[in-house]
Amino acid sequence: LLLAGDLSIFDISLWTAMGILLTLCSVGLTYFVAPQAAGSGIPEMRTVLTGVTIEKFLSKRVLFAKTVGLTLGLGSGLPVGAEGPFV
């Protein structure tokens, strides 16, 4: 069964499965490796700049989770960062 153009049901299912897999990997990385990496980090950075120490926030583990998690999120098609009319 062909849909729009040369795309079959298998192609669309594979594309959807890859997006879901990358999203789950990104969420799992944040949830299990570094829960401190959740969110934008802007309120936490404002707090750190005022002189308050947040335990384990500025660690290599959080940097790794944010970098890899955002890369996987972008690869899956999730909107990351400012988009739309506010850019």
Side-chain angles (χ1 to χ4, degrees):
L1 176 66
L2 293 177
L3 299 174
D6 295 334
L7 295 177
S8 66
I9 294 290
F10 177 75
D11 294 334
I12 294 174
S13 300
L14 184 64
W15 184 264
T16 304
M18 285 301 294
I20 292 171
L21 178 68
L22 290 173
T23 302
L24 289 176
C25 288
S26 176
V27 170
L29 185 70
T30 303
Y31 188 78
F32 292 112
V33 174
Q36 301 88 359
S40 69
I42 294 173
E44 290 86 356
M45 284 308 299
R46 290 181 68 187
T47 303
V48 168
L49 290 174
T50 62
V52 177
T53 303
I54 300 176
E55 189 70 28
K56 298 181 182 177
F57 181 69
L58 297 175
S59 67
K60 291 179 183 176
R61 198 173 178 127
V62 172
L63 177 65
F64 173 78
K66 281 224 181 244
T67 304
V68 175
L70 286 172
T71 304
L72 290 172
L74 279 173
S76 69
L78 292 174
V80 177
E83 292 187 4
F86 299 111
V87 175

